[in-house]
Amino acid sequence: MLIDNHGRTINYLRLAVTDKCNLRCFYCMPEDGLNWLSRTELMSYEEMLRACTLLVNMGIQKIRITGGEPFVRKDIMKLLTAISKLDGLHDLSLTTNGVLTAPHVAELKAIGIKSVNLSLDTLDSGRFFSITRRDEFGAVMATLDGLLKHGIEVKINAVVMEGKNTQDIIPLVELAKELPVSVRFIEEMPFNGDGQIHQTKMSWDYIRILEEIEQVYPDIKKIQDPAYSTAYNYHVPGHVGDVGIIAAYSRTFCGTCNRIRITPQGTLKNCLYDDGVLNIKDLMRSGKNDATIKDSLLNAFNNRVKDGLEAEKLVKNTGMHESMAAIGG
Ligand code: SAM
Ligand code: SF4
């Protein structure tokens, strides 16, 4: 078991396999995209698999594949299949925008993926275009349909943004009336890659999001949060699915943080808000053996910051303007 210097279990890795994306979500990256990483800057699949193997041997039990958009990277199913076979890994899941995902759903089911996080900020195709700057609403809904038909658990991630989609909060809650989905509303974080913070203060924090839902559903009930949950979970009586609210900017969940991240270029992040503590790809490419890399990882885990607010204070680079696609949200 991996325990950090604050006594927190580390058992969850989020691996971002690319920074590239086929959408341009307003809250994540500029309309022109990012300065995409070159092929040599990216970790190869062999390097990713080696990192995952090492970390699973050390105590990681759950891996989430994210990005950028995982399905934009060529042959992603090969990596997913290889990771799914790791001994000791209990849970492999992924986060996707759903644009290219539908044709892979049957294979995802076949390799044992039980849960997929699907990003969907609105149920209105016009607003979908205005938020993502791409006309792909139909493809995303086809993925939702395919996932549910294959019995894969779906969590819908919706970032709540003033002036963009607050009118979608109630329709998204209503989606869980008939469908067995967990709709999770996320506070917008300042990782939009354009060097500008969209809002000087958090106008739609987790408290306001809940108040908005309570106005229409006053009988919404708090339910038990699973261990290590970043979401506060709720249930509307009579609905099939649930509602979650993730205080991603308020950072109320750091005390039980069980997660680490590896960015597409191999940087280990102990916290979403830090600017990286170690580069695993560089260690591998300089010929370090597994035992040495393991020692470096253990050292990093013994020096984790207490919470995201402390991590943010220590950031040296322009971390706050980084794109979430380059971090692996
Ligand atoms: N492309 C995939 C997708 O959109 O699902 C995976 C990567 S995306 C960076 C992962 C998650 O981060 C998405 O659910 C997205 O909504 C969320 N995200 C991106 N930028 C964000 C921001 N500035 N604030 C809050 N959440 C953000
Ligand atoms: Fe792409 Fe996901 Fe970022 Fe949207 S949130 S631009 S889909 S990486």
Side-chain angles (χ1 to χ4, degrees), residues 27-28 66-69 95-97 119 157 159 187-189 324 329:
Y27 47 78
C28 181
T66 179
E69 173 50 35
T95 301
T96 174
N97 63 28
S119 298
N157 286 348
V159 179
E187 291 177 351
E188 184 181 2
M189 294 180 276
M324 194 66 110

Side-chain angles (χ1 to χ4, degrees), residues 178-196:
E178 308 289 344
L179 298 181
V181 293
S182 173
V183 177
R184 292 127 46 95
F185 298 100
I186 308 176
E187 291 177 351
E188 184 181 2
M189 294 180 276
F191 298 117
N192 50 45
D194 68 5
Q196 283 179 15

Side-chain angles (χ1 to χ4, degrees), residues 77 80-81 84-85 92 104-114 150-152:
M77 287 308 302
L80 285 169
T81 305
S84 73
K85 292 181 181 151
L92 174 63
H104 301 286
V105 169
E107 204 180 342
L108 291 175
K109 177 82 182 173
I111 65 167
I113 304 262
K114 289 187 216 71
H150 282 82
I152 296 179

Side-chain angles (χ1 to χ4, degrees), residues 197-232:
I197 295 178
H198 291 156
Q199 49 190 357
T200 45
K201 71 176 193 31
M202 165 80 355
S203 54
W204 282 87
D205 65 3
Y206 66 106
I207 297 168
R208 187 168 176 200
I209 296 170
L210 180 61
E211 284 170 354
E212 179 81 2
I213 301 172
E214 279 173 334
Q215 285 195 10
V216 178
Y217 293 108
D219 51 353
I220 188 169
K221 297 260 175 326
K222 180 80 191 69
I223 54 173
Q224 177 84 39
D225 299 324
Y228 311 116
S229 175
T230 51
Y232 295 119

